[in-house]
Amino acid sequence: MLYNREQTLEYLNGLVDKTRPTDQPLATNVTTKHRSTERHEYMLQWPDNLATNWHATREQQMKLDDVIHEAHCEECRNSSLIDWGQRRNQVVAAAKRAWDFYYRDAFGQDEHHPISHAGKNFTRTGLGYYIADVLDTLWLMGLKDEYKTGRDFLVSQVTFDQPGTVSLFESTIRLLGGLLSAYHWSGETDSELLKLADELGSRLAKSFNTSTGIPPETAILRSDGMPFVVESSTSEVSTLQLEFRYLAKLTGKQSYQIQVDRIMDIIFKAPKFDGLVSNYINGTSGKFTGTFISLGSRGDSYYEYLLKQWLQTKQTEPIFREEYDSAMDGVRKYLATVSPNQNLTYIGELLSINSPTPKFSPKMDHLVCFLAGSLALGSTNGLPLSNITLSAIRPRDREDLILARELGETCAHMYFDTPSGLAPEIGWFRQRNHETGKDIPFNSNEQLIKPDGDILVHPLDRHYILRPETIESLYLLWKITGENIWREYGWRIFGAIEKWAWSPEYGYTSIDNVCITPPTRRDNVETFFLSETLKYLFLLFSDTDPVSLVDYVFNTEAHPLPMFTWD
């Protein structure tokens, strides 16, 4: 039997026998004391004008009522004349091309550099990193020969008993998550995949052996020494839980669950800013140490996994939902706002948060576009609006769903407003001084649409590495609302990828500058293009439901893992 969360917290606080091996069941005669996780909230004395205080307008509320009404209208849902199956097949063809070029240039290696027709390994003999990350995509798309080729390489050629360091976060979400998902889709019968996942998990888990349990950002696969940690990325240490908790469920090894739950326990105790956290945490003190708050790099998936940990164990651990709701309240209060001309809702950042006068920054990473999907998912817990009555949605969930739809529109604009139709890595938004009514000065050369466009793109931010976050949110928005507009947006983006990122000579490549046509290329293609971007497009264009949102939760690398409860 695995620990439930209360038993885990008791273990961590010395309330059960720590000499008992953690991979053994709890003794039936252990007396436990039940308590709630201690939580802290605090706010600096921030200026009143720092709060954006986003709320849905009356018009947006009425529009949502229309969306809910149409979701219950079967005739409305079946009115599309588009052959989505044919579009889905085009995505499958793109996935096969991406795999074929990888197989030609770099099969078995961790990275693919398509222009050089080469690959690269992260360790001496490689980790099967690329293959493990894309394996479940091949399975879901019915590319069974490609799946078998990749699977056989992993179980016969890959070993994790190697020197060198790897990213704990990336190895967990891509490699471990990919192995676990592929094992599940095998019908949980491919014991070789589970054995490989267990070996990897045991080696990565050594990074948790710090004084607080907060791991460093790197893992040493072969070393048994004590890891050294000073400061870690908040998102990286809090985006390991879905994978290790599922591994604990499959193997019965409680240590996997205990160690990642300990991280969350420390985070829940650390002081926050209205549910928001800074982007760095000290591994010795367990306190947040960063100077800024962002839902982009180093912050994003902390918020994503709050919701998904709650969903993963079938909504049986309410602490995760409570922390998620608190964080979304903070997002609406301090980070969400609207641009002056195009009325684009976006999520900014807070800088200098430890000073008396923090500042709002109108910067939004492409990474932030995950939030539209998370808000939609959390508003109904994965149920489509067609299965929910108007009165059954809580007011706060209505606000979340409206914010999700508005943010989804903005993320689509970040694609459609560029000359190439592809989004930049980072967008900046026009700001207006509310007291003077004048725009805060900006460089008009960075303006996407002249003279009134609100999205600005700095020269160093103009690359597109085939990121999936917007496509992910379009998929979730469509599944929740039933609105075909999200599918149409996805089709437009897929068309731009095919036009500019595909080459008969190189296959798919990242784009160096989305603000010119034809754009220049970069000599890399990330594994998440096939693992996430094409997978979400495939699901977006699928009329059937191969991955039900009430039965599965996607990890942050788009690996669908089944929901479960602790025995």
Side-chain angles (χ1 to χ4, degrees), residues 104-178:
R104 183 195 72 178
D105 295 338
F107 180 71
Q109 298 189 69
D110 297 332
E111 286 186 340
H112 181 200
H113 299 288
I115 296 177
S116 302
H117 301 300
K120 179 182 177 181
N121 282 327
F122 297 143
T123 58
R124 186 170 60 195
T125 62
L127 301 168
Y129 187 84
Y130 187 104
I131 296 173
D133 202 15
V134 308
L135 207 56
D136 59 4
T137 299
L138 301 175
W139 177 273
L140 288 169
M141 291 186 179
L143 299 172
K144 299 300 174 63
D145 291 341
E146 292 79 2
Y147 174 89
K148 185 177 186 305
T149 299
R151 179 264 176 207
D152 290 350
F153 177 86
L154 290 175
V155 300
S156 64
Q157 301 296 321
V158 171
T159 177
F160 300 123
D161 184 16
Q162 298 185 54
T165 61
V166 296
S167 165
L168 173 63
F169 166 71
E170 299 289 358
S171 298
T172 298
I173 66 170
R174 302 197 199 198
L175 192 50
L176 181 59

Side-chain angles (χ1 to χ4, degrees), residues 255-306:
S255 56
Y256 290 140
Q257 177 199 356
I258 290 169
Q259 288 171 307
V260 293
D261 278 1
R262 183 185 184 192
I263 297 171
M264 297 310 299
D265 187 33
I266 290 172
I267 289 176
F268 289 160
K269 290 178 180 178
K272 304 178 186 66
F273 305 86
D274 273 10
L276 303 176
V277 298
S278 71
N279 288 28
Y280 288 92
I281 188 168
N282 186 287
T284 302
S285 68
K287 305 298 184 185
F288 294 110
T289 56
T291 61
F292 67 101
I293 291 173
S294 168
L295 268 70
S297 178
R298 301 190 178 276
D300 49 357
S301 47
Y302 161 72
Y303 303 95
E304 177 188 359
Y305 268 38
L306 288 179

